[in-house]
């Protein structure tokens, strides 16, 4: 077989991680993006910077602090142990938590831009028809911002698929539990199994190209000249 059972297991785990992370971020990032797009608070700058921090922060730094926070002496680790969940590092859900933090700007920023592009007029028009703020959000803002949500979902999914540093710090390298495709490629290179590394890397390369192709070809915000 072109790909081994271990490769397929790593790919399936990667797709599962990316899917769960993207779904969670749709819920978590939408109110954050809406607030950033609409607020005039002085906190907009600092909060926007915190959201964008994973774009410039080395993955090992973010992974280290998450590992400390979720460890036995960290606040998150102590909380999850009190709940009877146990510690999150070196588990699939630990990878999910790390991926949510690391991919947060890839979801928030496109959605925020989409909300900002709507402007005030459609929402004001809905308000004159006595639509409540909740109605205006779900009936006006969300449909108009749909292209931004699609772009954000694709970028978030693809970015999570390509993670390496953060998932290695938080999840380690446990087959079937935390060994995602990027870590599997790293293992092959360390073992000098370049043929296997080439095959799995080619799958990741084709996937990344197709994602970018979709984003460039499907561009609802662009006007044809």
């Amino acid at each position: 077989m072109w790909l081994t059972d271990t490769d397929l297991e790593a790919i399936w785990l990667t797709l599962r991680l990316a899917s769960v992370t993207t779904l969670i971020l749709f819920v978590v990032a939408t109110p954050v993006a809406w607030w950033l797009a609409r607020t005039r608070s002085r906190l907009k700058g600092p909060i926007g910077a915190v959201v964008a921090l994973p774009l410039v922060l080395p993955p090992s730094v973010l992974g280290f602090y998450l590992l400390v926070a979720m460890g036995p002496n960290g606040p998150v680790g102590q909380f999850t142990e009190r709940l009877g969940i146990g510690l999150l590092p070196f588990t699939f859900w630990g990878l999910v938590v790390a991926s949510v933090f690391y991919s947060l700007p890839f979801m928030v920023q496109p959605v925020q831009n989409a909300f900002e592009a709507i402007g005030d007029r459609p929402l004001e028009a809905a308000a004159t028809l006595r639509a409540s703020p909740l109605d205006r959000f779900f009936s006006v803002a969300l449909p108009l911002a749909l292209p931004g949500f699609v772009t954000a979902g694709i970028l978030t999914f693809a970015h999570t698929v390509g993670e390496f540093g953060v998932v290695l710090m938080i999840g380690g390298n446990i087959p079937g539990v935390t060994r995602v495709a990027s870590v599997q490629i790293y293992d092959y290179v360390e073992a000098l199994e370049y043929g296997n590394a080439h095959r799995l890397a080619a799958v990741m390369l084709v996937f990344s190209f197709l994602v970018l192709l979709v984003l460039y070809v499907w561009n609802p915000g662009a006007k044809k000249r």
Side-chain angles (χ1 to χ4, degrees), residues 17-18 20-22 24-25 28 54 62-63 65-67 69-71 76-77 79-80 85-104 160 163 166-167 170-171:
L17 174 64
V20 173
T21 300
T22 302
I24 292 174
L25 278 175
V28 173
L62 179 61
Y65 283 115
L66 287 174
L67 189 62
M70 294 189 293
V76 177
F79 178 70
T80 55
I85 299 174
L87 298 175
L88 293 177
F90 310 108
T91 67
F92 173 78
W93 289 106
L95 292 186
V96 171
V97 172
S99 298
V100 165
F101 277 100
Y102 193 48
S103 295
L104 183 63
T160 306
E163 288 177 3
V166 170
V167 296
I170 298 298

Side-chain angles (χ1 to χ4, degrees), residues 66-140:
L66 287 174
L67 189 62
V68 170
M70 294 189 293
N73 297 320
V76 177
Q78 292 177 358
F79 178 70
T80 55
E81 284 196 311
R82 287 196 191 106
L83 292 177
I85 299 174
L87 298 175
L88 293 177
F90 310 108
T91 67
F92 173 78
W93 289 106
L95 292 186
V96 171
V97 172
S99 298
V100 165
F101 277 100
Y102 193 48
S103 295
L104 183 63
F106 291 86
M107 180 66 76
V108 170
Q109 292 184 352
V111 175
Q112 179 186 346
N113 292 336
F115 283 145
E116 289 174 346
I118 294 173
D120 294 329
R121 288 188 177 181
L123 297 173
E124 290 172 352
T128 61
L129 298 174
R130 298 182 180 180
S132 67
L134 202 59
D135 288 335
R136 295 198 295 269
F137 177 76
F138 284 103
S139 301
V140 178

Side-chain angles (χ1 to χ4, degrees), residues 150-176:
V150 175
T151 300
I154 294 173
L155 285 175
T156 301
F157 187 91
H159 181 256
T160 306
V161 166
E163 288 177 3
F164 175 71
V166 170
V167 296
L168 187 62
M169 289 284 290
I170 298 298
N173 188 0
I174 306 174

